[in-house]
Amino acid sequence: MMMSPQMRRVVATVDDGLVEIERQLTDDLGFTDPVADTASRYLLEAGGKRVRPMLILLTAQLGDGNTQEVFDAAKAIEITHLASLYHDDVMDLADRRRGVPSAHTVWGNSVAILTGDLLFARASKLMANLGERAIRLQADTFERLVLGQLHETVGPQPGDDAEAHYIQVLADKTGSLISTAARAGALFANAPEEYQDALREFGEKIGVAFQLVDDVIDLSPQPEETGKVPGTDLRQGVATLPMIYLRQSALTDAADAELVARIDADVEDPAAAASDSFTSAIAELYAHPVTERTRAEAKRWASEAVAALEVVPDGPVRQALTQFGNRLADRRR
């Protein structure tokens, strides 16, 4: 589809901003201590989609555009995201991240955890330079990140609805930071205050949709396309939405109950989780209607995110956010 001149200008401005943010991130993650310096840059240099800085730069075009305040907010939020990955990989016992060995497999759990803490501190410093509102925004987001991880770790309690619990975990762990990114661009570029609620809702719902698509990708039998070993999340004990739906169905369907039992038995045995039988069970789950139901749920969340943008003026920024939301629900990796 041919882009309008206005859209091309917005895309070029965002691209230029991403180049500058990447350059500044390398400087901001420098430490005089050699171990801290190497470990803190490790996941940054491994790459990443930079979704959050891109969203910040995009919504900043609703106001003053690419200013240093916008760059500082983008760096703080990306560094917060990076810090959470160091901690997540320790808790999930993940061997790899972004195509490289995870930090805790290189330096051990203690160094990985402390590196994450250093990055959280550096992100807080950047936000502190932007004033009290920025500090509160960072603190509220960090609180939700921790609560999301805590609730994922302990799981739903007796009487909790498993699906509602899981969606709240996604909203806290992923949606909160993407929501903050969408709001921060407009906020620190002095865009009209009336956009804040719409951008908050857009970001949070896009975050949930993003993770639900990941639940489907995790089961894909094409690791060369997705970059993931099928069933990685299930192997790590994460109760993804297809599995939650399958457990619901298993209450009344004997075949589904048998599939749940096979997956559970293999997950509890590390040797079995690497076996052909587990791979076969994951393939069955991928082909099961619950996986298509999860994909449909992701599209519903993405659709609601786009609908929240009604208050944002119809123009290249809103069009770009809409395209982002629509494409996200159809991604394959």
Side-chain angles (χ1 to χ4, degrees), residues 130-327:
L130 297 175
E132 182 179 350
R133 188 168 182 184
I135 294 169
R136 289 184 179 277
L137 185 61
Q138 174 77 357
D140 289 344
T141 305
F142 187 35
E143 180 178 297
R144 288 192 64 190
L145 288 174
V146 175
L147 284 172
Q149 185 63 59
L150 176 65
H151 293 150
E152 180 180 80
T153 301
V154 302
Q157 300 303 291
D160 287 349
D161 179 271
E163 182 180 351
H165 176 273
Y166 181 63
I167 293 297
Q168 187 60 53
V169 166
L170 299 189
D172 288 337
K173 278 193 64 177
T174 302
S176 64
L177 198 54
I178 292 179
S179 177
T180 295
R183 293 174 59 196
L187 175 64
F188 298 112
N190 302 309
E193 183 69 25
E194 66 196 63
Y195 301 157
Q196 283 292 304
D197 285 345
L199 294 172
R200 175 196 56 75
E201 184 178 354
F202 170 81
E204 183 144 332
K205 289 186 172 179
I206 278 296
V208 172
F210 187 91
Q211 287 303 125
L212 292 178
V213 173
D214 258 7
D215 286 357
V216 174
I217 291 172
D218 181 63
L219 302 175
S220 172
Q222 298 176 306
E224 68 283 354
E225 180 181 327
T226 66
K228 295 182 70 174
V229 176
T232 295
D233 290 342
L234 293 179
R235 285 181 171 92
Q236 293 172 350
V238 178
T240 60
L241 194 59
M243 196 65 193
I244 291 171
Y245 284 157
L246 186 67
R247 291 189 190 281
Q248 293 171 354
S249 179
L251 297 174
T252 56
D253 187 294
D256 288 351
E258 189 270 337
L259 180 56
V260 167
R262 284 166 52 204
I263 292 173
D264 283 348
D266 286 344
V267 167
E268 291 173 6
D269 180 354
S275 68
D276 290 341
S277 66
F278 185 72
T279 300
S280 174
I282 294 302
E284 287 183 48
L285 179 55
Y286 183 72
H288 196 285
V290 296
T291 298
E292 188 53 40
R293 183 181 169 193
T294 299
R295 195 187 298 280
E297 186 68 359
K299 288 182 177 180
R300 184 180 72 80
W301 278 89
S303 227
E304 289 187 3
V306 169
L309 296 172
E310 225 174 75
V311 69
V312 176
D314 189 13
V317 173
R318 179 170 165 182
Q319 290 168 19
L321 291 171
T322 298
Q323 289 176 15
F324 175 77
N326 291 336
R327 287 175 182 171

